[in-house]
mmCIF file of all heavy atoms in Angstrom:
data_model
loop_
_atom_site.group_PDB
_atom_site.id
_atom_site.type_symbol
_atom_site.label_atom_id
_atom_site.label_comp_id
_atom_site.label_asym_id
_atom_site.label_seq_id
_atom_site.Cartn_x
_atom_site.Cartn_y
_atom_site.Cartn_z
ATOM 1 N N LYS A 1830 33.545 3.987 -7.599
ATOM 2 C CA LYS A 1830 32.778 4.895 -8.448
ATOM 3 C C LYS A 1830 31.541 4.185 -8.970
ATOM 4 O O LYS A 1830 31.637 3.196 -9.709
ATOM 5 C CB LYS A 1830 33.633 5.376 -9.618
ATOM 6 C CG LYS A 1830 34.776 6.300 -9.207
ATOM 7 C CD LYS A 1830 35.548 6.806 -10.416
ATOM 8 C CE LYS A 1830 36.664 7.753 -9.993
ATOM 9 N NZ LYS A 1830 37.440 8.249 -11.156
ATOM 10 N N GLU A 1831 30.380 4.665 -8.524
ATOM 11 C CA GLU A 1831 29.080 4.171 -9.002
ATOM 12 C C GLU A 1831 28.963 2.651 -8.892
ATOM 13 O O GLU A 1831 28.476 1.981 -9.812
ATOM 14 C CB GLU A 1831 28.859 4.601 -10.456
ATOM 15 C CG GLU A 1831 28.840 6.102 -10.669
ATOM 16 C CD GLU A 1831 27.626 6.753 -10.028
ATOM 17 O OE1 GLU A 1831 26.491 6.303 -10.301
ATOM 18 O OE2 GLU A 1831 27.809 7.693 -9.223
ATOM 19 N N ILE A 1832 29.379 2.066 -7.766
ATOM 20 C CA ILE A 1832 29.349 0.605 -7.638
ATOM 21 C C ILE A 1832 27.997 0.123 -7.139
ATOM 22 O O ILE A 1832 27.285 0.813 -6.408
ATOM 23 C CB ILE A 1832 30.460 0.070 -6.706
ATOM 24 C CG1 ILE A 1832 30.259 0.553 -5.262
ATOM 25 C CG2 ILE A 1832 31.833 0.428 -7.214
ATOM 26 C CD1 ILE A 1832 31.106 -0.199 -4.246
ATOM 27 N N ASN A 1833 27.633 -1.106 -7.552
ATOM 28 C CA ASN A 1833 26.470 -1.807 -7.019
ATOM 29 C C ASN A 1833 26.774 -3.299 -7.097
ATOM 30 O O ASN A 1833 27.753 -3.723 -7.706
ATOM 31 C CB ASN A 1833 25.199 -1.462 -7.783
ATOM 32 C CG ASN A 1833 23.984 -1.420 -6.869
ATOM 33 O OD1 ASN A 1833 23.861 -2.253 -5.954
ATOM 34 N ND2 ASN A 1833 23.096 -0.461 -7.084
ATOM 35 N N PHE A 1834 25.907 -4.084 -6.467
ATOM 36 C CA PHE A 1834 26.152 -5.525 -6.419
ATOM 37 C C PHE A 1834 24.828 -6.269 -6.476
ATOM 38 O O PHE A 1834 23.777 -5.752 -6.079
ATOM 39 C CB PHE A 1834 26.901 -5.888 -5.127
ATOM 40 C CG PHE A 1834 27.286 -7.347 -5.043
ATOM 41 C CD1 PHE A 1834 28.396 -7.819 -5.741
ATOM 42 C CD2 PHE A 1834 26.537 -8.250 -4.315
ATOM 43 C CE1 PHE A 1834 28.747 -9.156 -5.699
ATOM 44 C CE2 PHE A 1834 26.875 -9.588 -4.263
ATOM 45 C CZ PHE A 1834 27.985 -10.042 -4.955
ATOM 46 N N GLY A 1835 24.871 -7.501 -6.976
ATOM 47 C CA GLY A 1835 23.702 -8.355 -6.988
ATOM 48 C C GLY A 1835 24.116 -9.776 -7.306
ATOM 49 O O GLY A 1835 25.166 -10.011 -7.917
ATOM 50 N N TYR A 1836 23.320 -10.750 -6.864
ATOM 51 C CA TYR A 1836 23.609 -12.166 -7.117
ATOM 52 C C TYR A 1836 22.777 -12.672 -8.288
ATOM 53 O O TYR A 1836 21.551 -12.478 -8.331
ATOM 54 C CB TYR A 1836 23.302 -13.003 -5.872
ATOM 55 C CG TYR A 1836 24.272 -12.783 -4.747
ATOM 56 C CD1 TYR A 1836 23.946 -11.940 -3.684
ATOM 57 C CD2 TYR A 1836 25.515 -13.415 -4.724
ATOM 58 C CE1 TYR A 1836 24.831 -11.738 -2.629
ATOM 59 C CE2 TYR A 1836 26.409 -13.212 -3.682
ATOM 60 C CZ TYR A 1836 26.062 -12.375 -2.638
ATOM 61 O OH TYR A 1836 26.952 -12.172 -1.605
ATOM 62 N N ALA A 1837 23.438 -13.360 -9.230
ATOM 63 C CA ALA A 1837 22.788 -14.048 -10.352
ATOM 64 C C ALA A 1837 21.734 -13.148 -11.012
ATOM 65 O O ALA A 1837 22.040 -12.058 -11.455
ATOM 66 C CB ALA A 1837 22.172 -15.362 -9.876
ATOM 67 N N GLU A 1838 20.478 -13.646 -11.065
ATOM 68 C CA GLU A 1838 19.408 -12.923 -11.749
ATOM 69 C C GLU A 1838 18.750 -11.867 -10.869
ATOM 70 O O GLU A 1838 17.859 -11.141 -11.332
ATOM 71 C CB GLU A 1838 18.331 -13.907 -12.246
ATOM 72 C CG GLU A 1838 18.849 -14.959 -13.215
ATOM 73 C CD GLU A 1838 19.486 -14.341 -14.443
ATOM 74 O OE1 GLU A 1838 18.905 -13.367 -14.970
ATOM 75 O OE2 GLU A 1838 20.561 -14.813 -14.871
ATOM 76 N N ALA A 1839 19.163 -11.804 -9.594
ATOM 77 C CA ALA A 1839 18.548 -10.829 -8.693
ATOM 78 C C ALA A 1839 18.909 -9.419 -9.130
ATOM 79 O O ALA A 1839 19.913 -9.186 -9.814
ATOM 80 C CB ALA A 1839 19.022 -11.069 -7.266
ATOM 81 N N GLY A 1840 18.079 -8.458 -8.725
ATOM 82 C CA GLY A 1840 18.348 -7.068 -9.071
ATOM 83 C C GLY A 1840 19.486 -6.498 -8.238
ATOM 84 O O GLY A 1840 20.141 -7.206 -7.455
ATOM 85 N N ASP A 1841 19.741 -5.221 -8.422
ATOM 86 C CA ASP A 1841 20.793 -4.561 -7.656
ATOM 87 C C ASP A 1841 20.461 -4.568 -6.170
ATOM 88 O O ASP A 1841 19.302 -4.430 -5.762
ATOM 89 C CB ASP A 1841 20.968 -3.113 -8.130
ATOM 90 C CG ASP A 1841 21.638 -3.035 -9.500
ATOM 91 O OD1 ASP A 1841 22.269 -4.034 -9.898
ATOM 92 O OD2 ASP A 1841 21.509 -1.993 -10.156
ATOM 93 N N LEU A 1842 21.514 -4.706 -5.364
ATOM 94 C CA LEU A 1842 21.342 -4.772 -3.905
ATOM 95 C C LEU A 1842 20.929 -3.425 -3.337
ATOM 96 O O LEU A 1842 20.098 -3.354 -2.425
ATOM 97 C CB LEU A 1842 22.652 -5.238 -3.265
ATOM 98 C CG LEU A 1842 22.690 -5.388 -1.737
ATOM 99 C CD1 LEU A 1842 21.609 -6.344 -1.250
ATOM 100 C CD2 LEU A 1842 24.062 -5.888 -1.291
ATOM 101 N N TRP A 1843 21.472 -2.340 -3.879
ATOM 102 C CA TRP A 1843 21.194 -1.010 -3.335
ATOM 103 C C TRP A 1843 20.386 -0.175 -4.308
ATOM 104 O O TRP A 1843 20.557 -0.281 -5.528
ATOM 105 C CB TRP A 1843 22.514 -0.296 -2.992
ATOM 106 C CG TRP A 1843 23.317 -1.083 -1.992
ATOM 107 C CD1 TRP A 1843 22.940 -1.449 -0.740
ATOM 108 C CD2 TRP A 1843 24.619 -1.645 -2.188
ATOM 109 N NE1 TRP A 1843 23.931 -2.188 -0.137
ATOM 110 C CE2 TRP A 1843 24.974 -2.323 -0.984
ATOM 111 C CE3 TRP A 1843 25.533 -1.636 -3.236
ATOM 112 C CZ2 TRP A 1843 26.183 -2.985 -0.819
ATOM 113 C CZ3 TRP A 1843 26.750 -2.289 -3.079
ATOM 114 C CH2 TRP A 1843 27.066 -2.950 -1.884
ATOM 115 N N PRO A 1844 19.500 0.664 -3.808
ATOM 116 C CA PRO A 1844 18.617 1.456 -4.684
ATOM 117 C C PRO A 1844 19.374 2.351 -5.647
ATOM 118 O O PRO A 1844 18.905 2.611 -6.754
ATOM 119 C CB PRO A 1844 17.807 2.304 -3.689
ATOM 120 C CG PRO A 1844 17.884 1.565 -2.406
ATOM 121 C CD PRO A 1844 19.213 0.896 -2.385
ATOM 122 N N SER A 1845 20.532 2.834 -5.233
ATOM 123 C CA SER A 1845 21.328 3.666 -6.129
ATOM 124 C C SER A 1845 22.797 3.332 -5.932
ATOM 125 O O SER A 1845 23.207 2.910 -4.848
ATOM 126 C CB SER A 1845 21.078 5.162 -5.857
ATOM 127 O OG SER A 1845 21.349 5.459 -4.493
ATOM 128 N N PRO A 1846 23.621 3.473 -6.968
ATOM 129 C CA PRO A 1846 25.034 3.119 -6.843
ATOM 130 C C PRO A 1846 25.762 4.044 -5.876
ATOM 131 O O PRO A 1846 25.324 5.167 -5.608
ATOM 132 C CB PRO A 1846 25.557 3.280 -8.269
ATOM 133 C CG PRO A 1846 24.615 4.212 -8.929
ATOM 134 C CD PRO A 1846 23.273 3.962 -8.314
ATOM 135 N N MET A 1847 26.888 3.561 -5.373
ATOM 136 C CA MET A 1847 27.643 4.304 -4.371
ATOM 137 C C MET A 1847 29.018 4.686 -4.885
ATOM 138 O O MET A 1847 29.661 3.914 -5.594
ATOM 139 C CB MET A 1847 27.795 3.477 -3.095
ATOM 140 C CG MET A 1847 26.515 3.353 -2.291
ATOM 141 S SD MET A 1847 26.811 2.581 -0.694
ATOM 142 C CE MET A 1847 26.935 0.869 -1.183
ATOM 143 N N SER A 1848 29.466 5.854 -4.460
ATOM 144 C CA SER A 1848 30.815 6.325 -4.754
ATOM 145 C C SER A 1848 31.438 6.843 -3.465
ATOM 146 O O SER A 1848 30.786 7.559 -2.703
ATOM 147 C CB SER A 1848 30.783 7.453 -5.798
ATOM 148 O OG SER A 1848 30.225 7.003 -7.019
ATOM 149 N N PHE A 1849 32.675 6.456 -3.217
ATOM 150 C CA PHE A 1849 33.379 6.928 -2.018
ATOM 151 C C PHE A 1849 34.870 6.676 -2.188
ATOM 152 O O PHE A 1849 35.306 5.944 -3.076
ATOM 153 C CB PHE A 1849 32.864 6.238 -0.749
ATOM 154 C CG PHE A 1849 32.901 4.738 -0.811
ATOM 155 C CD1 PHE A 1849 34.049 4.032 -0.446
ATOM 156 C CD2 PHE A 1849 31.783 4.007 -1.230
ATOM 157 C CE1 PHE A 1849 34.087 2.650 -0.506
ATOM 158 C CE2 PHE A 1849 31.818 2.618 -1.296
ATOM 159 C CZ PHE A 1849 32.970 1.931 -0.934
ATOM 160 N N GLN A 1850 35.655 7.293 -1.309
ATOM 161 C CA GLN A 1850 37.106 7.119 -1.326
ATOM 162 C C GLN A 1850 37.606 7.021 0.118
ATOM 163 O O GLN A 1850 37.328 7.900 0.934
ATOM 164 C CB GLN A 1850 37.767 8.299 -2.033
ATOM 165 C CG GLN A 1850 39.249 8.102 -2.330
ATOM 166 C CD GLN A 1850 39.799 9.230 -3.181
ATOM 167 O OE1 GLN A 1850 40.057 10.328 -2.685
ATOM 168 N NE2 GLN A 1850 39.975 8.973 -4.480
ATOM 169 N N ILE A 1851 38.311 5.931 0.412
ATOM 170 C CA ILE A 1851 38.834 5.708 1.764
ATOM 171 C C ILE A 1851 40.331 5.993 1.767
ATOM 172 O O ILE A 1851 41.078 5.434 0.958
ATOM 173 C CB ILE A 1851 38.570 4.266 2.228
ATOM 174 C CG1 ILE A 1851 37.059 3.979 2.253
ATOM 175 C CG2 ILE A 1851 39.180 4.016 3.609
ATOM 176 C CD1 ILE A 1851 36.714 2.532 2.568
ATOM 177 N N LYS A 1852 40.762 6.845 2.698
ATOM 178 C CA LYS A 1852 42.174 7.207 2.820
ATOM 179 C C LYS A 1852 42.735 6.688 4.145
ATOM 180 O O LYS A 1852 41.989 6.548 5.131
ATOM 181 C CB LYS A 1852 42.343 8.721 2.733
ATOM 182 C CG LYS A 1852 41.885 9.316 1.420
ATOM 183 C CD LYS A 1852 42.018 10.834 1.429
ATOM 184 C CE LYS A 1852 41.522 11.435 0.113
ATOM 185 N NZ LYS A 1852 41.614 12.917 0.119
ATOM 186 N N SER A 1853 44.033 6.422 4.163
ATOM 187 C CA SER A 1853 44.655 5.907 5.377
ATOM 188 C C SER A 1853 44.547 6.938 6.506
ATOM 189 O O SER A 1853 44.637 8.145 6.282
ATOM 190 C CB SER A 1853 46.129 5.569 5.119
ATOM 191 O OG SER A 1853 46.857 6.724 4.770
ATOM 192 N N GLY A 1854 44.319 6.415 7.699
ATOM 193 C CA GLY A 1854 44.166 7.273 8.872
ATOM 194 C C GLY A 1854 42.737 7.658 9.166
ATOM 195 O O GLY A 1854 42.437 8.214 10.230
ATOM 196 N N GLU A 1855 41.806 7.365 8.233
ATOM 197 C CA GLU A 1855 40.403 7.734 8.447
ATOM 198 C C GLU A 1855 39.662 6.637 9.212
ATOM 199 O O GLU A 1855 40.069 5.479 9.234
ATOM 200 C CB GLU A 1855 39.717 7.976 7.103
ATOM 201 C CG GLU A 1855 40.249 9.191 6.361
ATOM 202 C CD GLU A 1855 39.566 9.415 5.032
ATOM 203 O OE1 GLU A 1855 39.006 8.444 4.468
ATOM 204 O OE2 GLU A 1855 39.588 10.559 4.545
ATOM 205 N N ARG A 1856 38.540 7.023 9.809
ATOM 206 C CA ARG A 1856 37.678 6.082 10.538
ATOM 207 C C ARG A 1856 36.291 6.125 9.922
ATOM 208 O O ARG A 1856 35.599 7.141 9.982
ATOM 209 C CB ARG A 1856 37.643 6.437 12.026
ATOM 210 C CG ARG A 1856 39.026 6.377 12.651
ATOM 211 C CD ARG A 1856 39.042 6.542 14.143
ATOM 212 N NE ARG A 1856 40.371 6.219 14.650
ATOM 213 C CZ ARG A 1856 40.630 5.821 15.893
ATOM 214 N NH1 ARG A 1856 39.650 5.684 16.763
ATOM 215 N NH2 ARG A 1856 41.865 5.550 16.261
ATOM 216 N N TRP A 1857 35.890 4.990 9.343
ATOM 217 C CA TRP A 1857 34.639 4.902 8.596
ATOM 218 C C TRP A 1857 33.638 4.005 9.313
ATOM 219 O O TRP A 1857 33.999 2.995 9.907
ATOM 220 C CB TRP A 1857 34.892 4.327 7.205
ATOM 221 C CG TRP A 1857 35.525 5.296 6.250
ATOM 222 C CD1 TRP A 1857 36.812 5.739 6.251
ATOM 223 C CD2 TRP A 1857 34.885 5.939 5.152
ATOM 224 N NE1 TRP A 1857 37.023 6.606 5.218
ATOM 225 C CE2 TRP A 1857 35.860 6.750 4.520
ATOM 226 C CE3 TRP A 1857 33.600 5.893 4.623
ATOM 227 C CZ2 TRP A 1857 35.573 7.528 3.406
ATOM 228 C CZ3 TRP A 1857 33.319 6.662 3.504
ATOM 229 C CH2 TRP A 1857 34.296 7.473 2.908
ATOM 230 N N LEU A 1858 32.381 4.390 9.205
ATOM 231 C CA LEU A 1858 31.267 3.574 9.709
ATOM 232 C C LEU A 1858 30.387 3.159 8.543
ATOM 233 O O LEU A 1858 30.003 3.996 7.714
ATOM 234 C CB LEU A 1858 30.434 4.374 10.717
ATOM 235 C CG LEU A 1858 29.096 3.749 11.135
ATOM 236 C CD1 LEU A 1858 29.326 2.513 12.008
ATOM 237 C CD2 LEU A 1858 28.225 4.764 11.877
ATOM 238 N N ILE A 1859 30.067 1.870 8.454
ATOM 239 C CA ILE A 1859 29.056 1.381 7.513
ATOM 240 C C ILE A 1859 27.810 1.084 8.330
ATOM 241 O O ILE A 1859 27.825 0.231 9.225
ATOM 242 C CB ILE A 1859 29.517 0.109 6.775
ATOM 243 C CG1 ILE A 1859 30.771 0.391 5.950
ATOM 244 C CG2 ILE A 1859 28.406 -0.414 5.871
ATOM 245 C CD1 ILE A 1859 31.338 -0.838 5.257
ATOM 246 N N GLN A 1860 26.730 1.804 8.068
ATOM 247 C CA GLN A 1860 25.499 1.613 8.831
ATOM 248 C C GLN A 1860 24.346 1.310 7.883
ATOM 249 O O GLN A 1860 24.403 1.586 6.690
ATOM 250 C CB GLN A 1860 25.179 2.846 9.671
ATOM 251 C CG GLN A 1860 24.775 4.064 8.853
ATOM 252 C CD GLN A 1860 24.348 5.246 9.718
ATOM 253 O OE1 GLN A 1860 24.573 5.267 10.918
ATOM 254 N NE2 GLN A 1860 23.736 6.229 9.099
#
Side-chain angles (χ1 to χ4, degrees):
K1830 291 183 179 179
E1831 299 292 307
I1832 65 166
N1833 215 321
F1834 184 79
Y1836 289 100
E1838 301 302 317
D1841 288 341
L1842 180 57
W1843 301 301
S1845 56
M1847 287 188 282
S1848 299
F1849 54 87
Q1850 190 173 77
I1851 300 174
K1852 298 177 181 179
S1853 63
E1855 293 180 337
R1856 300 187 169 204
W1857 285 73
L1858 169 70
I1859 298 176
Q1860 69 175 13

